Amino acid sequence: MATALSQIGRPEHRAERQQRIALVGFGTVGGAVARLLHDRRGHHPLRVTHICNRNVTRKKAGWVGREVVWTDDLQQVLASDADVVVELIGGLEPAHQLVRGALQSGKSVVTANKQLIAKFGRELQELAEAHGQYLGFGACVAGGIPVLSALQDGLVGDRLVQVRGILNGTCNYILSRIERAGVSFPDALAEAQQSGFAEADPTDDLDGHDAAAKLAILARVGLKTDVATEQVTRRTIRDIAAIDFEYARELGCTIRQISTAKLLDGKAYLAVEPSLVAMNSPLAGVSGSQNLVVSTGEFGGETTFGGHGAGGYPTAVAVVSDLLQAAHYCGCAAGADRPAIAACEVESDQEAPQYLRFVVRDRPGIIARIAGVLSRHHINLDAVLQKPGHEKSALPFVITLEPCRQSLVESALQEIAKFDFLADAPLRMPIVQ
Ligand SMILES: NC(=O)c1ccc[n+]([C@@H]2O[C@H](COP(=O)([O-])OP(=O)(O)OC[C@H]3O[C@@H](n4cnc5c(N)ncnc54)[C@H](OP(=O)(O)O)[C@@H]3O)[C@@H](O)[C@H]2O)c1
């Protein structure tokens, strides 16, 4: 009889008895998990025994089995006989205390909470191992795309050196709208908010905090490197304008919010920033709420994972997959056969070709003055692009640079920003290769 590859080298799983599941958080993902388990009952050994949500009465749904206990008391969940607690309330507290309490009381935990895992993942993994429980968080990154399990298990034979991707659907939606409709950033944001693709307060998405938390988890799982979310360089997409897509097109590129974690010379480099990507890159073809992750291994080269990065059912699939893993392995030390994760010095500087966009009050000698500053910083120009048809009082043009360290460009730009001919702050983006 064939043996499932994922079971080789792992301890025997417990006898196939029904696993008792307590769902905490009955919102978009929690509701979809309950529905999926209900509709596929008979095909899995998972049985929902508790559903917990604040003010739970308004949440009760007729299709949920009558034997399920509805509660708004987290302590009742912790004191229950559930085998696995599924944390789907989001945020740091009370989620952190709930997950700690569940692991300490001998329950496995599955969560989709990226903030929680990015901040406390190491601590919670150690707690899970100390109590012989399973901690599943496959839904935290890229929703329904099983990228974490692929990096953790499918590619564990390689040494991964880079993970790069599009991890935030809101940014992707907004940038795709500016690209296709030529609308301004505020209009694209308003549209995204009206269609439910952006929250009322979109700061976490636009300024890279959401993607940074996901990138920190990808770095831990894929690169075995422990980096705090705060150590990820984050740059906003708020400064991107329609004109940048026109210039990007001239360069054979488009613009996306790109998250990159890479290991170089024993240091880790992690950044979430708007970047130019070549039109023929798989990253350029990602639209709407789709996510894409490309891992690079020292031996196996590039592997690409794509699909729905968010949404109730895609995320619920990832949660249920983790629940089935928990059902197989609970009671075992889940991380015992995995490579150790180590702290690593973080490098925030990076060498790459650069795109600089200036908006100026036109007069003779402007390019010469900018070129003079760049040259003093030992930065080589690659090309100068200027499209006709703009007002002389706010004339946009672009300079691309040969690969150089971004810290050098930043200090040159600080000098350039003092020139009185600038009508707007200069914009810099790396060109991803
Ligand atoms: N939605 C996605 O596409 C997606 C994708 C990947 C990961 N995730 C992650 O999945 C988790 C859940 O997201 P979601 O979209 O399902 O959120 P959601 O729709 O807002 O659902 C959260 C549910 O938890 C309840 N809740 C919040 N705080 C609670 C507390 N202290 N005690 C009891 N119940 C509480 C909420 O009740 P109220 O109704 O009173 O607010 C709500 O029903 C988050 O960590 C999120 O980041 C979501």
Side-chain angles (χ1 to χ4, degrees):
M1 199 178 77
T3 309
L5 277 178
S6 58
Q7 289 178 19
I8 291 173
R10 290 191 188 267
E12 285 298 301
H13 59 80
R14 278 216 299 238
E16 286 271 317
R17 69 169 179 83
Q18 290 258 305
Q19 290 289 301
R20 300 166 62 86
I21 310 296
L23 280 182
V24 184
F26 197 64
T28 306
V29 181
V33 169
R35 189 85 224 193
L36 200 164
L37 292 177
H38 177 268
D39 290 358
R40 300 209 69 237
R41 62 192 181 282
H43 296 272
H44 55 70
L46 309 173
R47 183 155 64 90
V48 177
T49 55
H50 295 74
I51 294 178
C52 176
N53 202 97
R54 60 190 171 198
N55 309 322
V56 78
T57 311
R58 72 204 151 103
K59 293 277 180 179
K60 286 186 179 172
W63 50 266
V64 172
R66 290 160 64 124
E67 70 287 359
V68 171
V69 176
W70 293 82
T71 177
D72 44 21
D73 183 359
L74 297 176
Q75 294 308 320
Q76 190 180 346
V77 170
L78 293 178
S80 75
D81 57 359
D83 298 300
V84 188
V85 170
V86 184
E87 183 281 301
L88 295 170
I89 56 179
L92 287 179
E93 291 300 345
H96 182 215
Q97 287 315 314
L98 170 71
V99 171
R100 280 189 64 86
L103 293 170
Q104 281 164 334
S105 63
K107 301 179 194 321
S108 288
V109 170
V110 171
T111 177
N113 188 333
K114 57 196 160 277
Q115 285 98 352
L116 179 75
I117 294 299
K119 195 167 176 69
F120 298 112
R122 192 173 180 173
E123 165 207 307
L124 294 173
Q125 188 66 53
E126 284 168 6
L127 195 62
E129 284 168 22
H131 290 269
Q133 298 303 318
Y134 178 91
L135 175 68
F137 51 89
C140 288
V141 177
I145 310 169
V147 60
L148 288 180
S149 59
L151 298 185
Q152 187 159 273
D153 293 324
L155 291 169
V156 71
D158 204 343
R159 181 174 171 273
L160 300 185
V161 290
Q162 178 173 293
V163 184
R164 167 170 278 164
I166 292 178
L167 302 175
N168 184 277
T170 304
C171 289
N172 215 44
Y173 177 90
I174 290 171
L175 292 174
S176 312
R177 281 301 294 155
I178 302 175
E179 177 179 31
R180 291 201 187 132
V183 294
S184 69
F185 179 86
D187 286 350
L189 172 59
E191 238 179 73
Q193 284 170 320
Q194 274 157 20
S195 351
F197 283 104
E199 293 184 22
D201 178 1
T203 309
D204 275 1
D205 294 314
L206 305 186
D207 298 347
H209 309 307
D210 170 84
K214 295 170 180 168
L215 191 64
I217 299 172
L218 279 172
R220 186 178 309 143
V221 172
L223 306 183
K224 314 297 174 213
T225 297
D226 199 26
V227 174
T229 308
E230 297 70 37
Q231 291 177 288
V232 178
T233 300
R234 281 155 283 180
R235 296 177 61 233
T236 185
I237 66 157
R238 293 177 201 257
D239 304 324
I240 308 300
I243 187 70
D244 294 309
F245 280 95
E246 291 181 33
Y247 281 118
R249 220 169 289 136
E250 300 255 310
L251 295 161
C253 295
T254 186
I255 300 167
R256 293 285 181 266
Q257 186 206 47
I258 300 293
S259 302
T260 305
K262 73 163 136 183
L263 295 176
L264 201 63
D265 303 329
K267 292 183 186 168
Y269 169 81
L270 289 96
V272 175
E273 56 190 341
S275 311
L276 269 73
V277 291
M279 276 296 190
N280 60 7
S281 153
L283 294 163
V286 182
S287 61
S289 71
Q290 296 279 310
N291 280 190
L292 191 98
V293 177
V294 183
S295 71
T296 308
E298 201 175 310
F299 301 92
E302 287 193 351
T303 311
T304 303
F305 308 90
H308 292 288
Y313 280 115
T315 310
V317 169
V319 169
V320 172
S321 301
D322 272 350
L323 281 171
L324 290 168
Q325 288 287 321
H328 279 302
Y329 305 120
C330 86
C332 307
D337 55 352
R338 303 227 165 98
I341 291 163
C344 185
E345 192 181 333
V346 174
E347 170 67 88
S348 59
D349 205 2
Q350 162 83 332
E351 188 167 294
Q354 305 282 333
Y355 166 103
L356 306 180
R357 186 253 286 152
F358 301 95
V359 182
V360 297
R361 288 178 277 276
D362 196 24
R363 66 184 195 218
I366 286 178
I367 291 188
R369 290 187 71 187
I370 292 175
V373 176
L374 293 171
S375 154
R376 271 204 307 286
H377 286 79
H378 309 287
I379 297 168
N380 288 334
L381 272 64
D382 180 39
V384 178
L385 292 87
Q386 187 177 336
K387 290 175 85 74
H390 289 276
E391 295 284 328
K392 291 227 174 261
S393 57
L395 185 73
F397 70 93
V398 160
I399 295 178
T400 59
L401 306 177
E402 289 182 1
C404 55
R405 294 198 79 78
Q406 55 197 34
S407 57
L408 270 185
V409 188
E410 288 295 348
S411 54
L413 283 178
Q414 273 177 19
E415 233 176 272
I416 290 168
K418 292 180 191 144
F419 288 144
D420 62 358
F421 53 71
L422 288 178
D424 210 346
L427 171 75
R428 173 186 74 78
M429 280 187 274
I431 302 174
V432 166
Q433 290 175 313

